[in-house]
Amino acid sequence: MKHAISRSRRLRASALFAALAVLACLAGCAGQQATVTPSVVVEPEALGRGVEVSTTVKDVRPSAEVGLCNPASSLSGKLATACDPSPAIHAAVEKGLRDKGFTPAPARESVVRTLTVELTELSYKPRQEGTHLAARAVAVVAVTADNNGQKLTRRYEAETVWKLPAEGVEPEFDKLLSMTVSKALSRMASDYELIHFMEKTILRTREIK
């Protein structure tokens, strides 16, 4: 009788250990979250002539998911953004406007120039190359500029590829994604066609009936 009880306890302990091991494995593969904190680096210029620009930033991606952490594992966790990156992108865009001579301003009737920036894609696409990992991030930003009723639409794409030297090594996701978004935003802030469109004076005329 004592032997049967002891055997039953051992079986229960083994089952519990196996369950804990499965949970630990699943927890390790649950995925990671990255915080996107981009910056804009451009050559300071006074092209904006101090004109006021109101900026709106939106994250229009269908989900926060960015990709798989490790393509070599069937249990690989998913990579996602930790929070809405819009506030950080908004701050970076306004810095870029200032560096080009514009004056960021809150939306109001007297501000006739508006810039709408949408993050449409942010993806992480790793690829195993032998024992190496090519960590590739892609960011796409769609921009609509409105100058007193006239509009200009632009699209800016950027990518960053890191070659990681060993199997099982993952990139610093925060840095990789932030750097990639930064490239797209810096291209936007350096686009002279967009800059000149925003700084020029466009007068509205009433429709003559």
Side-chain angles (χ1 to χ4, degrees):
M1 184 67 178
K2 288 182 180 180
H3 179 72
I5 293 173
S6 177
R7 184 172 180 275
S8 176
R9 287 176 177 172
R10 285 199 302 272
L11 288 173
R12 284 199 300 269
S14 297
L16 179 60
F17 178 80
L20 290 174
V22 170
L23 286 174
C25 178
L26 291 176
C29 300
Q32 296 191 39
Q33 291 187 324
T35 301
V36 178
T37 52
S39 60
V40 169
V41 180
V42 292
E43 185 71 25
E45 297 176 284
L47 299 174
R49 300 183 295 109
V51 298
E52 293 185 323
V53 179
S54 172
T55 305
T56 300
V57 175
K58 303 175 183 177
D59 178 7
V60 298
R61 297 174 299 148
S63 75
E65 186 178 318
V66 176
L68 292 177
C69 297
N70 185 351
S73 172
S74 60
L75 296 175
S76 175
K78 294 178 180 179
L79 174 65
T81 46
C83 56
D84 182 6
S86 298
I89 293 175
H90 189 274
V93 169
E94 288 198 333
K95 178 189 177 298
L97 287 172
R98 287 192 193 92
D99 287 345
K100 288 302 179 182
F102 294 95
T103 301
R108 59 178 183 269
E109 189 176 355
S110 62
V111 180
V112 298
R113 297 170 176 85
T114 64
L115 198 65
T116 301
V117 180
E118 297 180 332
L119 178 64
T120 61
E121 180 185 341
L122 183 59
S123 60
Y124 170 64
K125 301 173 182 178
R127 187 177 68 254
Q128 200 72 39
E129 299 177 349
T131 59
H132 299 260
L133 180 69
R136 177 173 177 259
V138 175
V140 179
V141 173
V143 175
T144 301
D146 187 319
N147 186 342
N148 209 11
Q150 290 192 20
K151 293 185 179 181
L152 175 69
T153 58
R154 309 288 280 176
R155 180 181 182 274
Y156 305 94
E157 181 174 342
E159 75 169 21
T160 305
V161 178
W162 287 356
K163 298 284 188 176
L164 302 178
E167 189 174 1
V169 176
E170 292 181 341
E172 297 179 56
F173 292 118
D174 290 1
K175 186 180 294 184
L176 176 63
L177 297 181
S178 296
M179 180 184 297
T180 309
V181 176
S182 296
K183 289 180 181 179
L185 296 178
S186 296
R187 287 174 183 170
M188 178 200 72
S190 300
D191 184 347
Y192 284 103
E193 183 179 348
L194 177 65
I195 292 170
H196 291 312
F197 175 80
M198 292 300 290
E199 63 84 19
K200 68 181 179 179
T201 300
I202 297 177
L203 300 177
R204 286 195 181 190
T205 56
R206 290 189 302 172
E207 183 180 356
I208 300 176
K209 295 182 180 181

